[in-house]
Amino acid sequence: MPLLELSDAQIGGWVSTFLLPLFRIASLLMTMPVIGTQLVPLRVRLYLALAVSVVLVPSLPPMPAVDALSLQTWLLIAQEVLIGVMMGFTLQLFFHAFVIGGQILSTQMGLGFASMVDPTNGVSVPVIGQFFTVLVTLLFLAMNGHLVVFEVLAESFTSLPVGESLVSQHYWAIATRLGWVMGASLLLVLPAITALLVINLAFGVMTRAAPQLNIFSIGFPLTLLLGLGIVWIGTADILSQYQVFATEALQFMRELVRAS
């Protein structure tokens, strides 16, 4: 019985048809929030990347023919990994806007010392920041944000095909968004910070008017209590802010993989 003989062209065709899209898909799933966190085992993420690749590959445009062991193939793999990581890092910036906002608010209201371990990243964050992280994760899943990410991923193989060179704007586009994260974080907690600033100014005036009062003994717990009340009231408006930030982040991710 003759053995199955495969030529270099057939092996290279299989590699370019399935493995090159797999690297982009797997890189996105390894770095994006929710799925790419420590809560999801690495093996599960890999199986999910394989499943998405099997479903997505038949509908993708033709892949370039490459030699499986050539330097060009390794460069294409590195480029696909870079594209997937850039898309995932864009979503990480969106999530961290809420985390940084929670950290700023915690420091302002005196809860900066109260921290807990974030199971998604394995680092300690203030409790308000962790609360915002859980809240934005639930909103992201409830409003089908993960499905939009998969849609953008499928469109990226048409707008930025495998093998097309990345222009300089793709390398520096994320760097221009780092300032957007801080601006979004401040905008998210600006009403609460303003209210707490007014409260601290009132305590300062009371201290100057009546120095004999021990204002620190009542100022700290009262600021903490009022800060929690402000956070509770502010959660009523977080959905509208989430929609604005999520729309901008997903639109930026779509523009990131658009060739020009």
Side-chain angles (χ1 to χ4, degrees):
M1 182 176 180
L3 298 176
L4 178 63
E5 296 183 357
L6 297 176
S7 63
D8 293 340
Q10 290 175 320
I11 296 176
W14 290 349
V15 169
S16 61
T17 300
F18 184 79
L19 286 185
L20 290 179
L22 174 64
F23 280 106
R24 183 184 298 192
I25 296 170
S27 300
L28 172 62
L29 295 181
M30 294 295 175
T31 55
M32 69 175 291
V34 184
I35 298 177
T37 60
Q38 297 182 2
L39 296 177
V40 181
L42 185 62
R43 185 175 300 177
V44 174
R45 282 178 273 171
L46 181 58
Y47 289 157
L48 181 59
L50 290 173
V52 173
S53 301
V54 170
V55 174
L56 205 57
V57 163
S59 62
L60 297 181
M63 298 295 164
V66 295
D67 185 4
L69 300 177
S70 65
L71 178 61
Q72 180 187 4
T73 303
W74 289 103
L75 293 177
L76 286 178
I77 290 174
Q79 178 173 296
E80 294 304 303
V81 171
L82 178 61
I83 293 173
V85 169
M86 287 194 304
M87 296 173 65
F89 188 66
T90 301
L91 294 175
Q92 290 285 357
L93 291 178
F94 161 63
F95 271 68
H96 278 77
F98 289 85
V99 176
I100 294 175
Q103 292 176 346
I104 295 173
L105 185 57
S106 297
T107 304
Q108 187 71 21
M109 62 188 293
L111 268 181
F113 65 90
S115 61
M116 61 181 299
V117 177
D118 184 5
T120 60
N121 299 316
V123 296
S124 296
V125 296
V127 290
I128 302 298
Q130 182 64 20
F131 170 72
F132 282 167
T133 301
V134 174
L135 188 59
V136 73
T137 301
L138 294 177
L139 289 175
F140 184 78
L141 295 176
M143 302 185 70
N144 295 326
H146 56 294
L147 299 182
V148 178
V149 172
F150 289 147
E151 179 184 359
V152 175
L153 175 63
E155 292 177 357
S156 69
F157 289 99
T158 302
S159 60
L160 189 61
V162 175
E164 182 167 338
S165 300
L166 293 174
V167 294
S168 58
Q169 69 176 23
H170 293 91
Y171 290 106
W172 299 105
I174 292 183
T176 60
R177 288 285 165 150
L178 294 177
W180 173 83
V181 175
M182 292 301 300
S185 303
L186 291 175
L187 184 62
L188 178 68
V189 297
L190 187 60
I193 291 178
T194 304
L196 291 173
L197 179 61
V198 173
I199 294 172
N200 290 328
L201 288 176
F203 284 131
V205 172
M206 292 173 59
T207 304
R208 295 291 295 177
Q212 66 274 14
L213 294 178
N214 189 6
I215 201 65
F216 292 102
S217 62
I218 62 172
F220 179 76
L222 188 58
T223 302
L224 182 59
L225 183 61
L226 293 176
L228 291 176
I230 293 171
V231 172
W232 175 61
I233 296 173
T235 52
D237 190 48
I238 200 169
L239 177 60
S240 60
Q241 295 176 339
Y242 166 83
Q243 291 174 340
V244 174
F245 296 155
T247 301
E248 188 169 352
L250 293 174
Q251 183 63 29
F252 171 67
M253 188 176 68
R254 192 184 301 270
E255 294 174 356
L256 188 67
V257 294
R258 185 174 300 164
S260 58

PDB file of all heavy atoms in Angstrom, residues 43-73:
ATOM      1  N   ARG A  43      -5.419  26.407  28.031  1.00  0.00           N
ATOM      2  CA  ARG A  43      -5.860  25.345  27.129  1.00  0.00           C
ATOM      3  C   ARG A  43      -7.238  25.643  26.565  1.00  0.00           C
ATOM      4  O   ARG A  43      -7.500  25.389  25.380  1.00  0.00           O
ATOM      5  CB  ARG A  43      -5.867  24.009  27.878  1.00  0.00           C
ATOM      6  CG  ARG A  43      -6.189  22.812  27.008  1.00  0.00           C
ATOM      7  CD  ARG A  43      -6.053  21.522  27.787  1.00  0.00           C
ATOM      8  NE  ARG A  43      -4.689  21.353  28.281  1.00  0.00           N
ATOM      9  CZ  ARG A  43      -4.314  20.317  29.047  1.00  0.00           C
ATOM     10  NH1 ARG A  43      -5.197  19.403  29.410  1.00  0.00           N
ATOM     11  NH2 ARG A  43      -3.063  20.226  29.450  1.00  0.00           N
ATOM     12  N   VAL A  44      -8.120  26.214  27.377  1.00  0.00           N
ATOM     13  CA  VAL A  44      -9.455  26.573  26.889  1.00  0.00           C
ATOM     14  C   VAL A  44      -9.361  27.669  25.829  1.00  0.00           C
ATOM     15  O   VAL A  44     -10.056  27.629  24.805  1.00  0.00           O
ATOM     16  CB  VAL A  44     -10.342  27.021  28.069  1.00  0.00           C
ATOM     17  CG1 VAL A  44     -11.688  27.528  27.576  1.00  0.00           C
ATOM     18  CG2 VAL A  44     -10.541  25.862  29.043  1.00  0.00           C
ATOM     19  N   ARG A  45      -8.496  28.647  26.046  1.00  0.00           N
ATOM     20  CA  ARG A  45      -8.319  29.711  25.054  1.00  0.00           C
ATOM     21  C   ARG A  45      -7.775  29.158  23.742  1.00  0.00           C
ATOM     22  O   ARG A  45      -8.184  29.590  22.660  1.00  0.00           O
ATOM     23  CB  ARG A  45      -7.383  30.783  25.607  1.00  0.00           C
ATOM     24  CG  ARG A  45      -8.036  31.723  26.597  1.00  0.00           C
ATOM     25  CD  ARG A  45      -7.035  32.731  27.127  1.00  0.00           C
ATOM     26  NE  ARG A  45      -6.322  32.221  28.289  1.00  0.00           N
ATOM     27  CZ  ARG A  45      -5.288  32.806  28.856  1.00  0.00           C
ATOM     28  NH1 ARG A  45      -4.805  33.911  28.337  1.00  0.00           N
ATOM     29  NH2 ARG A  45      -4.721  32.284  29.914  1.00  0.00           N
ATOM     30  N   LEU A  46      -6.868  28.197  23.833  1.00  0.00           N
ATOM     31  CA  LEU A  46      -6.316  27.597  22.622  1.00  0.00           C
ATOM     32  C   LEU A  46      -7.382  26.803  21.876  1.00  0.00           C
ATOM     33  O   LEU A  46      -7.484  26.895  20.639  1.00  0.00           O
ATOM     34  CB  LEU A  46      -5.139  26.691  22.986  1.00  0.00           C
ATOM     35  CG  LEU A  46      -4.428  26.000  21.824  1.00  0.00           C
ATOM     36  CD1 LEU A  46      -3.900  27.014  20.828  1.00  0.00           C
ATOM     37  CD2 LEU A  46      -3.300  25.108  22.341  1.00  0.00           C
ATOM     38  N   TYR A  47      -8.195  26.041  22.595  1.00  0.00           N
ATOM     39  CA  TYR A  47      -9.275  25.300  21.946  1.00  0.00           C
ATOM     40  C   TYR A  47     -10.284  26.251  21.302  1.00  0.00           C
ATOM     41  O   TYR A  47     -10.800  25.975  20.214  1.00  0.00           O
ATOM     42  CB  TYR A  47      -9.976  24.394  22.965  1.00  0.00           C
ATOM     43  CG  TYR A  47      -9.153  23.202  23.411  1.00  0.00           C
ATOM     44  CD1 TYR A  47      -9.415  22.572  24.627  1.00  0.00           C
ATOM     45  CD2 TYR A  47      -8.107  22.726  22.633  1.00  0.00           C
ATOM     46  CE1 TYR A  47      -8.660  21.487  25.047  1.00  0.00           C
ATOM     47  CE2 TYR A  47      -7.341  21.645  23.047  1.00  0.00           C
ATOM     48  CZ  TYR A  47      -7.628  21.027  24.243  1.00  0.00           C
ATOM     49  OH  TYR A  47      -6.871  19.960  24.658  1.00  0.00           O
ATOM     50  N   LEU A  48     -10.569  27.363  21.975  1.00  0.00           N
ATOM     51  CA  LEU A  48     -11.487  28.335  21.411  1.00  0.00           C
ATOM     52  C   LEU A  48     -10.915  28.960  20.144  1.00  0.00           C
ATOM     53  O   LEU A  48     -11.642  29.178  19.160  1.00  0.00           O
ATOM     54  CB  LEU A  48     -11.793  29.419  22.448  1.00  0.00           C
ATOM     55  CG  LEU A  48     -12.778  30.517  22.026  1.00  0.00           C
ATOM     56  CD1 LEU A  48     -14.128  29.919  21.655  1.00  0.00           C
ATOM     57  CD2 LEU A  48     -12.958  31.535  23.146  1.00  0.00           C
ATOM     58  N   ALA A  49      -9.610  29.241  20.141  1.00  0.00           N
ATOM     59  CA  ALA A  49      -8.971  29.789  18.939  1.00  0.00           C
ATOM     60  C   ALA A  49      -9.034  28.788  17.784  1.00  0.00           C
ATOM     61  O   ALA A  49      -9.291  29.173  16.628  1.00  0.00           O
ATOM     62  CB  ALA A  49      -7.524  30.162  19.243  1.00  0.00           C
ATOM     63  N   LEU A  50      -8.821  27.512  18.067  1.00  0.00           N
ATOM     64  CA  LEU A  50      -8.930  26.491  17.020  1.00  0.00           C
ATOM     65  C   LEU A  50     -10.354  26.402  16.486  1.00  0.00           C
ATOM     66  O   LEU A  50     -10.558  26.284  15.269  1.00  0.00           O
ATOM     67  CB  LEU A  50      -8.477  25.135  17.574  1.00  0.00           C
ATOM     68  CG  LEU A  50      -6.985  24.979  17.867  1.00  0.00           C
ATOM     69  CD1 LEU A  50      -6.720  23.656  18.576  1.00  0.00           C
ATOM     70  CD2 LEU A  50      -6.169  25.062  16.594  1.00  0.00           C
ATOM     71  N   ALA A  51     -11.338  26.464  17.382  1.00  0.00           N
ATOM     72  CA  ALA A  51     -12.731  26.383  16.943  1.00  0.00           C
ATOM     73  C   ALA A  51     -13.115  27.580  16.082  1.00  0.00           C
ATOM     74  O   ALA A  51     -13.773  27.431  15.040  1.00  0.00           O
ATOM     75  CB  ALA A  51     -13.649  26.284  18.162  1.00  0.00           C
ATOM     76  N   VAL A  52     -12.711  28.778  16.493  1.00  0.00           N
ATOM     77  CA  VAL A  52     -13.015  29.968  15.699  1.00  0.00           C
ATOM     78  C   VAL A  52     -12.321  29.903  14.343  1.00  0.00           C
ATOM     79  O   VAL A  52     -12.887  30.290  13.310  1.00  0.00           O
ATOM     80  CB  VAL A  52     -12.606  31.244  16.463  1.00  0.00           C
ATOM     81  CG1 VAL A  52     -12.768  32.484  15.587  1.00  0.00           C
ATOM     82  CG2 VAL A  52     -13.442  31.396  17.727  1.00  0.00           C
ATOM     83  N   SER A  53     -11.092  29.388  14.317  1.00  0.00           N
ATOM     84  CA  SER A  53     -10.363  29.277  13.047  1.00  0.00           C
ATOM     85  C   SER A  53     -11.049  28.299  12.104  1.00  0.00           C
ATOM     86  O   SER A  53     -11.162  28.568  10.902  1.00  0.00           O
ATOM     87  CB  SER A  53      -8.923  28.837  13.304  1.00  0.00           C
ATOM     88  OG  SER A  53      -8.244  29.752  14.131  1.00  0.00           O
ATOM     89  N   VAL A  54     -11.512  27.168  12.628  1.00  0.00           N
ATOM     90  CA  VAL A  54     -12.188  26.178  11.788  1.00  0.00           C
ATOM     91  C   VAL A  54     -13.455  26.771  11.175  1.00  0.00           C
ATOM     92  O   VAL A  54     -13.781  26.520   9.999  1.00  0.00           O
ATOM     93  CB  VAL A  54     -12.490  24.911  12.606  1.00  0.00           C
ATOM     94  CG1 VAL A  54     -13.406  23.974  11.836  1.00  0.00           C
ATOM     95  CG2 VAL A  54     -11.204  24.196  12.968  1.00  0.00           C
ATOM     96  N   VAL A  55     -14.170  27.571  11.938  1.00  0.00           N
ATOM     97  CA  VAL A  55     -15.406  28.176  11.431  1.00  0.00           C
ATOM     98  C   VAL A  55     -15.112  29.309  10.457  1.00  0.00           C
ATOM     99  O   VAL A  55     -15.821  29.502   9.467  1.00  0.00           O
ATOM    100  CB  VAL A  55     -16.266  28.678  12.614  1.00  0.00           C
ATOM    101  CG1 VAL A  55     -17.484  29.434  12.107  1.00  0.00           C
ATOM    102  CG2 VAL A  55     -16.696  27.516  13.487  1.00  0.00           C
ATOM    103  N   LEU A  56     -14.037  30.054  10.702  1.00  0.00           N
ATOM    104  CA  LEU A  56     -13.782  31.286   9.967  1.00  0.00           C
ATOM    105  C   LEU A  56     -12.988  31.067   8.684  1.00  0.00           C
ATOM    106  O   LEU A  56     -13.187  31.790   7.701  1.00  0.00           O
ATOM    107  CB  LEU A  56     -13.035  32.269  10.869  1.00  0.00           C
ATOM    108  CG  LEU A  56     -13.162  33.764  10.563  1.00  0.00           C
ATOM    109  CD1 LEU A  56     -14.614  34.195  10.578  1.00  0.00           C
ATOM    110  CD2 LEU A  56     -12.360  34.576  11.566  1.00  0.00           C
ATOM    111  N   VAL A  57     -12.094  30.088   8.663  1.00  0.00           N
ATOM    112  CA  VAL A  57     -11.176  29.923   7.532  1.00  0.00           C
ATOM    113  C   VAL A  57     -11.898  29.694   6.202  1.00  0.00           C
ATOM    114  O   VAL A  57     -11.499  30.274   5.180  1.00  0.00           O
ATOM    115  CB  VAL A  57     -10.175  28.786   7.837  1.00  0.00           C
ATOM    116  CG1 VAL A  57      -9.487  28.296   6.569  1.00  0.00           C
ATOM    117  CG2 VAL A  57      -9.141  29.261   8.839  1.00  0.00           C
ATOM    118  N   PRO A  58     -12.956  28.882   6.120  1.00  0.00           N
ATOM    119  CA  PRO A  58     -13.595  28.690   4.805  1.00  0.00           C
ATOM    120  C   PRO A  58     -14.163  29.955   4.175  1.00  0.00           C
ATOM    121  O   PRO A  58     -14.314  30.008   2.948  1.00  0.00           O
ATOM    122  CB  PRO A  58     -14.723  27.679   5.118  1.00  0.00           C
ATOM    123  CG  PRO A  58     -14.253  26.961   6.332  1.00  0.00           C
ATOM    124  CD  PRO A  58     -13.529  27.982   7.147  1.00  0.00           C
ATOM    125  N   SER A  59     -14.478  30.969   4.950  1.00  0.00           N
ATOM    126  CA  SER A  59     -15.049  32.196   4.398  1.00  0.00           C
ATOM    127  C   SER A  59     -14.022  33.301   4.182  1.00  0.00           C
ATOM    128  O   SER A  59     -14.397  34.401   3.769  1.00  0.00           O
ATOM    129  CB  SER A  59     -16.147  32.716   5.322  1.00  0.00           C
ATOM    130  OG  SER A  59     -15.615  33.040   6.600  1.00  0.00           O
ATOM    131  N   LEU A  60     -12.745  33.028   4.435  1.00  0.00           N
ATOM    132  CA  LEU A  60     -11.716  34.049   4.301  1.00  0.00           C
ATOM    133  C   LEU A  60     -11.226  34.136   2.862  1.00  0.00           C
ATOM    134  O   LEU A  60     -11.336  33.170   2.095  1.00  0.00           O
ATOM    135  CB  LEU A  60     -10.536  33.740   5.234  1.00  0.00           C
ATOM    136  CG  LEU A  60     -10.831  33.733   6.737  1.00  0.00           C
ATOM    137  CD1 LEU A  60      -9.561  33.433   7.519  1.00  0.00           C
ATOM    138  CD2 LEU A  60     -11.427  35.049   7.178  1.00  0.00           C
ATOM    139  N   PRO A  61     -10.671  35.283   2.471  1.00  0.00           N
ATOM    140  CA  PRO A  61     -10.087  35.403   1.126  1.00  0.00           C
ATOM    141  C   PRO A  61      -8.873  34.494   0.981  1.00  0.00           C
ATOM    142  O   PRO A  61      -8.327  34.013   1.979  1.00  0.00           O
ATOM    143  CB  PRO A  61      -9.705  36.891   1.041  1.00  0.00           C
ATOM    144  CG  PRO A  61      -9.613  37.356   2.443  1.00  0.00           C
ATOM    145  CD  PRO A  61     -10.598  36.549   3.220  1.00  0.00           C
ATOM    146  N   PRO A  62      -8.427  34.238  -0.241  1.00  0.00           N
ATOM    147  CA  PRO A  62      -7.279  33.345  -0.446  1.00  0.00           C
ATOM    148  C   PRO A  62      -6.024  33.851   0.261  1.00  0.00           C
ATOM    149  O   PRO A  62      -5.740  35.038   0.287  1.00  0.00           O
ATOM    150  CB  PRO A  62      -7.096  33.344  -1.967  1.00  0.00           C
ATOM    151  CG  PRO A  62      -8.426  33.758  -2.505  1.00  0.00           C
ATOM    152  CD  PRO A  62      -9.010  34.698  -1.502  1.00  0.00           C
ATOM    153  N   MET A  63      -5.293  32.905   0.841  1.00  0.00           N
ATOM    154  CA  MET A  63      -4.068  33.231   1.558  1.00  0.00           C
ATOM    155  C   MET A  63      -2.877  33.176   0.607  1.00  0.00           C
ATOM    156  O   MET A  63      -2.892  32.439  -0.385  1.00  0.00           O
ATOM    157  CB  MET A  63      -3.857  32.251   2.723  1.00  0.00           C
ATOM    158  CG  MET A  63      -4.953  32.300   3.749  1.00  0.00           C
ATOM    159  SD  MET A  63      -5.004  33.899   4.586  1.00  0.00           S
ATOM    160  CE  MET A  63      -6.629  33.852   5.334  1.00  0.00           C
ATOM    161  N   PRO A  64      -1.816  33.925   0.900  1.00  0.00           N
ATOM    162  CA  PRO A  64      -0.633  33.874   0.035  1.00  0.00           C
ATOM    163  C   PRO A  64       0.077  32.531   0.158  1.00  0.00           C
ATOM    164  O   PRO A  64       0.123  31.934   1.231  1.00  0.00           O
ATOM    165  CB  PRO A  64       0.239  35.018   0.569  1.00  0.00           C
ATOM    166  CG  PRO A  64      -0.203  35.206   1.986  1.00  0.00           C
ATOM    167  CD  PRO A  64      -1.669  34.893   2.000  1.00  0.00           C
ATOM    168  N   ALA A  65       0.605  32.064  -0.948  1.00  0.00           N
ATOM    169  CA  ALA A  65       1.346  30.803  -0.962  1.00  0.00           C
ATOM    170  C   ALA A  65       2.745  31.038  -0.403  1.00  0.00           C
ATOM    171  O   ALA A  65       3.486  31.899  -0.886  1.00  0.00           O
ATOM    172  CB  ALA A  65       1.426  30.253  -2.375  1.00  0.00           C
ATOM    173  N   VAL A  66       3.114  30.304   0.626  1.00  0.00           N
ATOM    174  CA  VAL A  66       4.402  30.487   1.296  1.00  0.00           C
ATOM    175  C   VAL A  66       5.057  29.136   1.485  1.00  0.00           C
ATOM    176  O   VAL A  66       4.402  28.092   1.468  1.00  0.00           O
ATOM    177  CB  VAL A  66       4.235  31.195   2.656  1.00  0.00           C
ATOM    178  CG1 VAL A  66       3.712  32.602   2.468  1.00  0.00           C
ATOM    179  CG2 VAL A  66       3.317  30.395   3.575  1.00  0.00           C
ATOM    180  N   ASP A  67       6.348  29.173   1.682  1.00  0.00           N
ATOM    181  CA  ASP A  67       7.111  27.981   2.045  1.00  0.00           C
ATOM    182  C   ASP A  67       7.038  27.819   3.564  1.00  0.00           C
ATOM    183  O   ASP A  67       7.290  28.766   4.307  1.00  0.00           O
ATOM    184  CB  ASP A  67       8.556  28.132   1.581  1.00  0.00           C
ATOM    185  CG  ASP A  67       9.361  26.864   1.838  1.00  0.00           C
ATOM    186  OD1 ASP A  67       8.772  25.866   2.299  1.00  0.00           O
ATOM    187  OD2 ASP A  67      10.576  26.877   1.577  1.00  0.00           O
ATOM    188  N   ALA A  68       6.678  26.628   4.016  1.00  0.00           N
ATOM    189  CA  ALA A  68       6.416  26.425   5.441  1.00  0.00           C
ATOM    190  C   ALA A  68       7.634  26.692   6.314  1.00  0.00           C
ATOM    191  O   ALA A  68       7.490  27.056   7.481  1.00  0.00           O
ATOM    192  CB  ALA A  68       5.909  25.006   5.674  1.00  0.00           C
ATOM    193  N   LEU A  69       8.831  26.530   5.795  1.00  0.00           N
ATOM    194  CA  LEU A  69      10.039  26.669   6.614  1.00  0.00           C
ATOM    195  C   LEU A  69      10.899  27.857   6.198  1.00  0.00           C
ATOM    196  O   LEU A  69      12.062  27.947   6.606  1.00  0.00           O
ATOM    197  CB  LEU A  69      10.888  25.383   6.530  1.00  0.00           C
ATOM    198  CG  LEU A  69      10.200  24.102   7.022  1.00  0.00           C
ATOM    199  CD1 LEU A  69      11.113  22.905   6.831  1.00  0.00           C
ATOM    200  CD2 LEU A  69       9.782  24.231   8.478  1.00  0.00           C
ATOM    201  N   SER A  70      10.352  28.771   5.444  1.00  0.00           N
ATOM    202  CA  SER A  70      11.141  29.911   4.978  1.00  0.00           C
ATOM    203  C   SER A  70      11.084  31.052   5.981  1.00  0.00           C
ATOM    204  O   SER A  70      10.227  31.093   6.873  1.00  0.00           O
ATOM    205  CB  SER A  70      10.630  30.384   3.618  1.00  0.00           C
ATOM    206  OG  SER A  70       9.309  30.885   3.742  1.00  0.00           O
ATOM    207  N   LEU A  71      12.016  31.989   5.816  1.00  0.00           N
ATOM    208  CA  LEU A  71      12.040  33.164   6.685  1.00  0.00           C
ATOM    209  C   LEU A  71      10.808  34.033   6.465  1.00  0.00           C
ATOM    210  O   LEU A  71      10.298  34.657   7.411  1.00  0.00           O
ATOM    211  CB  LEU A  71      13.317  33.966   6.410  1.00  0.00           C
ATOM    212  CG  LEU A  71      13.495  35.262   7.207  1.00  0.00           C
ATOM    213  CD1 LEU A  71      13.536  34.981   8.702  1.00  0.00           C
ATOM    214  CD2 LEU A  71      14.745  35.997   6.763  1.00  0.00           C
ATOM    215  N   GLN A  72      10.299  34.075   5.244  1.00  0.00           N
ATOM    216  CA  GLN A  72       9.103  34.866   4.961  1.00  0.00           C
ATOM    217  C   GLN A  72       7.908  34.379   5.779  1.00  0.00           C
ATOM    218  O   GLN A  72       7.107  35.179   6.265  1.00  0.00           O
ATOM    219  CB  GLN A  72       8.783  34.799   3.468  1.00  0.00           C
ATOM    220  CG  GLN A  72       7.537  35.595   3.060  1.00  0.00           C
ATOM    221  CD  GLN A  72       7.159  35.358   1.611  1.00  0.00           C
ATOM    222  OE1 GLN A  72       7.774  34.544   0.918  1.00  0.00           O
ATOM    223  NE2 GLN A  72       6.147  36.070   1.144  1.00  0.00           N
ATOM    224  N   THR A  73       7.807  33.060   5.957  1.00  0.00           N
ATOM    225  CA  THR A  73       6.701  32.521   6.744  1.00  0.00           C
ATOM    226  C   THR A  73       6.801  32.963   8.196  1.00  0.00           C
ATOM    227  O   THR A  73       5.801  33.331   8.824  1.00  0.00           O
ATOM    228  CB  THR A  73       6.700  30.985   6.658  1.00  0.00           C
ATOM    229  OG1 THR A  73       6.630  30.585   5.291  1.00  0.00           O
ATOM    230  CG2 THR A  73       5.505  30.417   7.414  1.00  0.00           C
TER     231      THR A  73
END
